[in-house]
Amino acid sequence: MKKITVSAPAKIHLLGEHAVVYGKPALVAAVNLKLTVVVSSNGSKNNSYDLSKIIEPIIKKEFKIKTIPKYKLEISSEIPVGCGMGSSAAVSAAYIAALLLFLNIPWDLDLINKLTYEAEKVFHGNPSGADNSTIVFGGLIWYRKEMPDLKIIQKLNFSIPKKLANNFVLVNTGQPKESTKEMVIKVGNLYKEKPQIVEKFLLEQEKLTRELLFVIKESKEDELIWIIRQGEKNLESIGVASSYVSSIIREIEKLGGAAKICGAGGSTKSTGMLLAYHKDPDKIKEAAKKNNLSCFQVDLGVKGLRVE
Ligand code: PMV
């Protein structure tokens, strides 16, 4: 029996979400929440997954093949769905990678990333490609889309220093009512109606993302807190953080920390995962508890896609 197991990490935007759709840089980290896909020749073809209807045509088109031999597909995941942690990119990447190996196509991360981007287009309409690139290559990714066919995907040669890494906490505000696609369209509409607001957001977010790179590398804690606060303020200016979530973030700021939405966000109530930072992470845990929200600490900058 042939059995291929591939795992993918989650991702979190340290900064640059939404701006990255407009050609600005994003700094994104792979996170140690695991999604696993098993493709095996065991049993009859299990096509109860709608995902197969998206992934198989992408592979057939790329390799000009008409049929794919029968296989069984199993998916298990620790990544919360629709919470800004790249669950869709993770499942597509792991599935594509496993199916390619099943078809005896050699392991090629660039190819897997390219095909995962095609799947992301089906999910999100106009994705930047940052999510799939981070999940596939892992680590800390500096991502910038210059043109549809030219993307800078730079895996950084340093990791987040321990002093900083241990003080990040993820706070789950719940799955947003709005999809990533809807939030990206919302920002696009704002750009048409009030271009000056989005232009200002883009310029400031680019500056902050560049500063963040330096601040992380040099392990500058006070500056990191300042950048997360400013980055969040900018995200709020384009309407991707609901008032419910903004007020929780204000509480964390009052305690001396910082927090931001991650990924597309939401405008009604929940916005998915918050990335929070405090010199004493217990303070964030207290704030989360007070608001009846779950929170947890993760490793940032972990390995990307791999065969188990
Ligand atoms: O919410 P997520 O994990 O799908 O992240 C979306 C990030 C955006 O910048 C809003 C969109 C994109 O394609 O980069």
PDB file of all heavy atoms in Angstrom, residues 203-221:
ATOM      1  N   LEU A 203       1.408  53.619   2.928  1.00  0.00           N
ATOM      2  CA  LEU A 203       2.726  54.222   3.169  1.00  0.00           C
ATOM      3  C   LEU A 203       3.210  53.930   4.592  1.00  0.00           C
ATOM      4  O   LEU A 203       4.345  53.533   4.820  1.00  0.00           O
ATOM      5  CB  LEU A 203       2.660  55.747   2.970  1.00  0.00           C
ATOM      6  CG  LEU A 203       2.656  56.215   1.515  1.00  0.00           C
ATOM      7  CD1 LEU A 203       2.516  57.727   1.438  1.00  0.00           C
ATOM      8  CD2 LEU A 203       3.951  55.764   0.821  1.00  0.00           C
ATOM      9  N   GLU A 204       2.309  54.138   5.555  1.00  0.00           N
ATOM     10  CA  GLU A 204       2.706  53.950   6.956  1.00  0.00           C
ATOM     11  C   GLU A 204       2.991  52.484   7.263  1.00  0.00           C
ATOM     12  O   GLU A 204       3.947  52.155   7.973  1.00  0.00           O
ATOM     13  CB  GLU A 204       1.618  54.498   7.886  1.00  0.00           C
ATOM     14  CG  GLU A 204       1.599  56.015   7.831  1.00  0.00           C
ATOM     15  CD  GLU A 204       0.582  56.637   8.766  1.00  0.00           C
ATOM     16  OE1 GLU A 204      -0.036  55.915   9.561  1.00  0.00           O
ATOM     17  OE2 GLU A 204       0.416  57.868   8.679  1.00  0.00           O
ATOM     18  N   GLN A 205       2.164  51.600   6.697  1.00  0.00           N
ATOM     19  CA  GLN A 205       2.351  50.183   7.004  1.00  0.00           C
ATOM     20  C   GLN A 205       3.666  49.671   6.399  1.00  0.00           C
ATOM     21  O   GLN A 205       4.353  48.867   7.004  1.00  0.00           O
ATOM     22  CB  GLN A 205       1.139  49.394   6.467  1.00  0.00           C
ATOM     23  CG  GLN A 205       0.660  48.309   7.379  1.00  0.00           C
ATOM     24  CD  GLN A 205       0.117  48.778   8.727  1.00  0.00           C
ATOM     25  OE1 GLN A 205       0.355  49.901   9.166  1.00  0.00           O
ATOM     26  NE2 GLN A 205      -0.596  47.915   9.396  1.00  0.00           N
ATOM     27  N   GLU A 206       4.013  50.187   5.231  1.00  0.00           N
ATOM     28  CA  GLU A 206       5.280  49.776   4.625  1.00  0.00           C
ATOM     29  C   GLU A 206       6.456  50.197   5.509  1.00  0.00           C
ATOM     30  O   GLU A 206       7.374  49.420   5.781  1.00  0.00           O
ATOM     31  CB  GLU A 206       5.436  50.395   3.230  1.00  0.00           C
ATOM     32  CG  GLU A 206       6.821  50.114   2.657  1.00  0.00           C
ATOM     33  CD  GLU A 206       6.939  50.409   1.178  1.00  0.00           C
ATOM     34  OE1 GLU A 206       6.199  51.265   0.670  1.00  0.00           O
ATOM     35  OE2 GLU A 206       7.795  49.764   0.541  1.00  0.00           O
ATOM     36  N   LYS A 207       6.389  51.435   5.993  1.00  0.00           N
ATOM     37  CA  LYS A 207       7.465  51.962   6.844  1.00  0.00           C
ATOM     38  C   LYS A 207       7.591  51.111   8.125  1.00  0.00           C
ATOM     39  O   LYS A 207       8.681  50.704   8.522  1.00  0.00           O
ATOM     40  CB  LYS A 207       7.121  53.423   7.197  1.00  0.00           C
ATOM     41  CG  LYS A 207       8.278  54.230   7.648  1.00  0.00           C
ATOM     42  CD  LYS A 207       7.970  55.718   7.498  1.00  0.00           C
ATOM     43  CE  LYS A 207       8.900  56.526   8.342  1.00  0.00           C
ATOM     44  NZ  LYS A 207       8.356  56.906   9.651  1.00  0.00           N
ATOM     45  N   LEU A 208       6.433  50.825   8.725  1.00  0.00           N
ATOM     46  CA  LEU A 208       6.437  50.056   9.976  1.00  0.00           C
ATOM     47  C   LEU A 208       6.944  48.630   9.763  1.00  0.00           C
ATOM     48  O   LEU A 208       7.680  48.089  10.588  1.00  0.00           O
ATOM     49  CB  LEU A 208       5.026  50.005  10.578  1.00  0.00           C
ATOM     50  CG  LEU A 208       4.499  51.303  11.181  1.00  0.00           C
ATOM     51  CD1 LEU A 208       3.023  51.158  11.530  1.00  0.00           C
ATOM     52  CD2 LEU A 208       5.287  51.708  12.426  1.00  0.00           C
ATOM     53  N   THR A 209       6.549  48.029   8.644  1.00  0.00           N
ATOM     54  CA  THR A 209       6.971  46.644   8.377  1.00  0.00           C
ATOM     55  C   THR A 209       8.489  46.586   8.207  1.00  0.00           C
ATOM     56  O   THR A 209       9.147  45.671   8.699  1.00  0.00           O
ATOM     57  CB  THR A 209       6.228  46.084   7.137  1.00  0.00           C
ATOM     58  OG1 THR A 209       4.834  46.283   7.319  1.00  0.00           O
ATOM     59  CG2 THR A 209       6.487  44.598   6.949  1.00  0.00           C
ATOM     60  N   ARG A 210       9.043  47.594   7.530  1.00  0.00           N
ATOM     61  CA  ARG A 210      10.505  47.638   7.366  1.00  0.00           C
ATOM     62  C   ARG A 210      11.183  47.829   8.731  1.00  0.00           C
ATOM     63  O   ARG A 210      12.195  47.194   9.028  1.00  0.00           O
ATOM     64  CB  ARG A 210      10.902  48.779   6.427  1.00  0.00           C
ATOM     65  CG  ARG A 210      10.527  48.492   5.005  1.00  0.00           C
ATOM     66  CD  ARG A 210      10.976  49.593   4.043  1.00  0.00           C
ATOM     67  NE  ARG A 210      10.405  49.340   2.741  1.00  0.00           N
ATOM     68  CZ  ARG A 210      10.833  48.411   1.886  1.00  0.00           C
ATOM     69  NH1 ARG A 210      11.868  47.660   2.193  1.00  0.00           N
ATOM     70  NH2 ARG A 210      10.243  48.226   0.727  1.00  0.00           N
ATOM     71  N   GLU A 211      10.618  48.716   9.552  1.00  0.00           N
ATOM     72  CA  GLU A 211      11.206  48.944  10.881  1.00  0.00           C
ATOM     73  C   GLU A 211      11.118  47.686  11.743  1.00  0.00           C
ATOM     74  O   GLU A 211      12.027  47.373  12.509  1.00  0.00           O
ATOM     75  CB  GLU A 211      10.484  50.108  11.581  1.00  0.00           C
ATOM     76  CG  GLU A 211      10.927  51.466  11.054  1.00  0.00           C
ATOM     77  CD  GLU A 211      10.054  52.616  11.553  1.00  0.00           C
ATOM     78  OE1 GLU A 211       9.272  52.409  12.507  1.00  0.00           O
ATOM     79  OE2 GLU A 211      10.145  53.704  10.980  1.00  0.00           O
ATOM     80  N   LEU A 212      10.011  46.978  11.575  1.00  0.00           N
ATOM     81  CA  LEU A 212       9.794  45.765  12.372  1.00  0.00           C
ATOM     82  C   LEU A 212      10.898  44.726  12.124  1.00  0.00           C
ATOM     83  O   LEU A 212      11.375  44.069  13.057  1.00  0.00           O
ATOM     84  CB  LEU A 212       8.418  45.174  12.036  1.00  0.00           C
ATOM     85  CG  LEU A 212       8.014  43.905  12.783  1.00  0.00           C
ATOM     86  CD1 LEU A 212       7.979  44.143  14.287  1.00  0.00           C
ATOM     87  CD2 LEU A 212       6.651  43.409  12.313  1.00  0.00           C
ATOM     88  N   LEU A 213      11.300  44.643  10.874  1.00  0.00           N
ATOM     89  CA  LEU A 213      12.355  43.704  10.511  1.00  0.00           C
ATOM     90  C   LEU A 213      13.626  43.991  11.316  1.00  0.00           C
ATOM     91  O   LEU A 213      14.237  43.093  11.914  1.00  0.00           O
ATOM     92  CB  LEU A 213      12.631  43.883   9.008  1.00  0.00           C
ATOM     93  CG  LEU A 213      13.444  42.847   8.289  1.00  0.00           C
ATOM     94  CD1 LEU A 213      12.769  41.499   8.359  1.00  0.00           C
ATOM     95  CD2 LEU A 213      13.620  43.265   6.819  1.00  0.00           C
ATOM     96  N   PHE A 214      13.996  45.254  11.372  1.00  0.00           N
ATOM     97  CA  PHE A 214      15.190  45.680  12.090  1.00  0.00           C
ATOM     98  C   PHE A 214      15.035  45.462  13.599  1.00  0.00           C
ATOM     99  O   PHE A 214      15.912  44.921  14.273  1.00  0.00           O
ATOM    100  CB  PHE A 214      15.426  47.170  11.767  1.00  0.00           C
ATOM    101  CG  PHE A 214      16.489  47.819  12.580  1.00  0.00           C
ATOM    102  CD1 PHE A 214      17.837  47.601  12.288  1.00  0.00           C
ATOM    103  CD2 PHE A 214      16.158  48.643  13.650  1.00  0.00           C
ATOM    104  CE1 PHE A 214      18.816  48.198  13.056  1.00  0.00           C
ATOM    105  CE2 PHE A 214      17.133  49.227  14.419  1.00  0.00           C
ATOM    106  CZ  PHE A 214      18.472  49.009  14.125  1.00  0.00           C
ATOM    107  N   VAL A 215      13.866  45.839  14.102  1.00  0.00           N
ATOM    108  CA  VAL A 215      13.592  45.767  15.545  1.00  0.00           C
ATOM    109  C   VAL A 215      13.614  44.310  16.037  1.00  0.00           C
ATOM    110  O   VAL A 215      14.129  44.013  17.110  1.00  0.00           O
ATOM    111  CB  VAL A 215      12.228  46.461  15.800  1.00  0.00           C
ATOM    112  CG1 VAL A 215      11.585  46.004  17.077  1.00  0.00           C
ATOM    113  CG2 VAL A 215      12.401  47.966  15.775  1.00  0.00           C
ATOM    114  N   ILE A 216      13.091  43.402  15.216  1.00  0.00           N
ATOM    115  CA  ILE A 216      13.105  41.977  15.597  1.00  0.00           C
ATOM    116  C   ILE A 216      14.546  41.469  15.589  1.00  0.00           C
ATOM    117  O   ILE A 216      15.002  40.844  16.550  1.00  0.00           O
ATOM    118  CB  ILE A 216      12.206  41.144  14.657  1.00  0.00           C
ATOM    119  CG1 ILE A 216      10.745  41.445  14.963  1.00  0.00           C
ATOM    120  CG2 ILE A 216      12.490  39.654  14.808  1.00  0.00           C
ATOM    121  CD1 ILE A 216       9.753  40.710  14.097  1.00  0.00           C
ATOM    122  N   LYS A 217      15.261  41.781  14.537  1.00  0.00           N
ATOM    123  CA  LYS A 217      16.629  41.299  14.406  1.00  0.00           C
ATOM    124  C   LYS A 217      17.488  41.772  15.572  1.00  0.00           C
ATOM    125  O   LYS A 217      18.294  41.031  16.129  1.00  0.00           O
ATOM    126  CB  LYS A 217      17.216  41.796  13.079  1.00  0.00           C
ATOM    127  CG  LYS A 217      18.399  41.026  12.634  1.00  0.00           C
ATOM    128  CD  LYS A 217      18.828  41.432  11.247  1.00  0.00           C
ATOM    129  CE  LYS A 217      20.091  40.669  10.886  1.00  0.00           C
ATOM    130  NZ  LYS A 217      20.708  41.149   9.690  1.00  0.00           N
ATOM    131  N   GLU A 218      17.264  43.043  15.970  1.00  0.00           N
ATOM    132  CA  GLU A 218      18.070  43.638  17.034  1.00  0.00           C
ATOM    133  C   GLU A 218      17.464  43.422  18.417  1.00  0.00           C
ATOM    134  O   GLU A 218      17.955  43.971  19.404  1.00  0.00           O
ATOM    135  CB  GLU A 218      18.230  45.151  16.773  1.00  0.00           C
ATOM    136  CG  GLU A 218      18.888  45.494  15.440  1.00  0.00           C
ATOM    137  CD  GLU A 218      20.336  45.032  15.361  1.00  0.00           C
ATOM    138  OE1 GLU A 218      21.041  45.165  16.372  1.00  0.00           O
ATOM    139  OE2 GLU A 218      20.730  44.514  14.297  1.00  0.00           O
ATOM    140  N   SER A 219      16.335  42.721  18.478  1.00  0.00           N
ATOM    141  CA  SER A 219      15.665  42.398  19.738  1.00  0.00           C
ATOM    142  C   SER A 219      15.317  43.641  20.564  1.00  0.00           C
ATOM    143  O   SER A 219      15.591  43.712  21.760  1.00  0.00           O
ATOM    144  CB  SER A 219      16.581  41.460  20.541  1.00  0.00           C
ATOM    145  OG  SER A 219      15.847  40.793  21.514  1.00  0.00           O
ATOM    146  N   LYS A 220      14.724  44.622  19.939  1.00  0.00           N
ATOM    147  CA  LYS A 220      14.379  45.880  20.621  1.00  0.00           C
ATOM    148  C   LYS A 220      12.909  45.844  21.060  1.00  0.00           C
ATOM    149  O   LYS A 220      12.004  46.068  20.254  1.00  0.00           O
ATOM    150  CB  LYS A 220      14.658  47.068  19.694  1.00  0.00           C
ATOM    151  CG  LYS A 220      16.149  47.263  19.413  1.00  0.00           C
ATOM    152  CD  LYS A 220      16.371  48.513  18.597  1.00  0.00           C
ATOM    153  CE  LYS A 220      17.823  48.765  18.325  1.00  0.00           C
ATOM    154  NZ  LYS A 220      18.643  49.021  19.502  1.00  0.00           N
ATOM    155  N   GLU A 221      12.717  45.592  22.333  1.00  0.00           N
ATOM    156  CA  GLU A 221      11.381  45.299  22.842  1.00  0.00           C
ATOM    157  C   GLU A 221      10.436  46.508  22.845  1.00  0.00           C
ATOM    158  O   GLU A 221       9.283  46.409  22.426  1.00  0.00           O
ATOM    159  CB  GLU A 221      11.535  44.730  24.258  1.00  0.00           C
ATOM    160  CG  GLU A 221      10.345  43.953  24.713  1.00  0.00           C
ATOM    161  CD  GLU A 221      10.626  43.160  25.972  1.00  0.00           C
ATOM    162  OE1 GLU A 221      11.394  43.637  26.842  1.00  0.00           O
ATOM    163  OE2 GLU A 221      10.073  42.059  26.100  1.00  0.00           O
TER     164      GLU A 221
END
